[in-house]
Amino acid sequence: MKAIYVITLSLGLMANCYAQDAASFYDSPYNVRNSGSFNKKSFLLSAGVGFPNVGNYSVSYTYNAEGSYSPAFYVELEHGFLRDEIGLGVSMGGSWGSRSGQYSEKIKETTVAISGFYHFNKLISVKNLDIYAGLGMGYRRQLLSVEEAANLPDIVMGYTILPIHTGARYSFTPKVSLHVRYTYDQRSNFIGGVTFRLK
């Protein structure tokens, strides 16, 4: 019984402290408040896997071919930019697959993009939680190779993409956090992975 009382009292004190901290946070002017989840000196390295792979692989020499495709892999560097709530990121990604039909085909895809992010560190007071949204521009390149016996040239296609992001990171240590992101970049719908705080 005494243990339950101690646990209840501890939780109550923690909740009261959090409420006081939150009140102090929101009483501060917008331009000076910051939860600490991101700032203009932040330097983040993220790696993740996108799922499902929704890439448009319509380019083919073979009609009605069945194929298998890898998940989409991503690496991104982001740094604070001018203000504590703004970040600028550069990302690279890739995936590959194969199809079989009249010919055996292999597909490789690479993407590079630059994105701007808005972090809600001035609107959400939780230090370990980084919620953000972003918009970018990039280039996607697909390479289709056909089996050598077909004696057909490779096909290369490239086009512009406009990725849209919304996501969250939760820090388990000052240097490491897990992230999940909804993204629209014509490659995958969701990305999950890990982020390392380099600075």
Side-chain angles (χ1 to χ4, degrees):
M1 191 69 179
K2 187 179 289 187
I4 295 174
Y5 174 75
V6 171
I7 291 172
T8 303
L9 181 61
S10 300
L11 290 174
L13 290 172
M14 289 172 61
N16 184 58
C17 290
Y18 174 76
Q20 290 179 353
D21 288 344
S24 176
F25 177 83
Y26 291 112
D27 284 342
S28 302
Y30 174 88
N31 63 329
V32 298
R33 76 170 74 139
N34 192 339
S35 67
S37 61
F38 190 86
N39 61 60
K40 61 186 176 182
K41 294 183 179 180
S42 295
F43 190 23
L44 308 177
L45 170 63
S46 299
V49 178
F51 55 93
N53 188 333
V54 294
N56 177 15
Y57 302 109
S58 58
V59 54
S60 177
Y61 283 110
T62 301
Y63 295 100
N64 299 321
E66 294 187 3
S68 60
Y69 306 99
S70 74
F73 295 92
Y74 296 84
V75 176
E76 181 178 75
L77 282 171
E78 182 187 355
H79 200 288
F81 183 68
L82 298 179
R83 296 174 58 94
D84 283 340
E85 69 271 34
I86 304 298
L88 192 62
V90 178
S91 63
M92 297 182 63
S95 61
W96 58 89
S98 60
R99 280 191 295 232
S100 58
Q102 182 181 359
Y103 305 111
S104 176
E105 301 177 340
K106 292 184 179 180
I107 299 171
K108 294 180 181 178
E109 179 184 274
T110 54
T111 302
V112 293
I114 184 169
S115 296
F117 297 96
Y118 175 83
H119 295 261
F120 291 84
N121 54 338
K122 290 182 177 289
L123 300 176
I124 298 174
S125 63
V126 183
K127 181 178 181 179
N128 291 349
L129 182 62
D130 178 20
I131 296 179
Y132 59 91
L135 178 65
M137 177 176 287
Y139 180 77
R140 182 181 181 192
R141 179 181 183 270
Q142 289 182 349
L143 170 64
L144 173 73
S145 302
V146 189
E147 61 182 290
E148 191 172 331
N151 196 26
L152 294 169
D154 293 348
I155 298 176
V156 178
M157 292 185 64
Y159 46 91
T160 301
I161 58 172
L162 299 172
I164 300 171
H165 316 284
T166 178
R169 296 185 182 92
Y170 189 84
S171 300
F172 292 94
T173 76
K175 295 292 186 180
V176 180
S177 60
L178 296 181
H179 73 260
V180 62
R181 176 186 294 184
Y182 170 77
T183 186
Y184 176 76
D185 64 356
Q186 301 175 3
R187 298 187 66 238
S188 56
N189 293 333
F190 296 94
I191 302 172
V194 62
T195 297
F196 301 96
R197 184 178 290 271
L198 305 180
K199 187 175 181 182

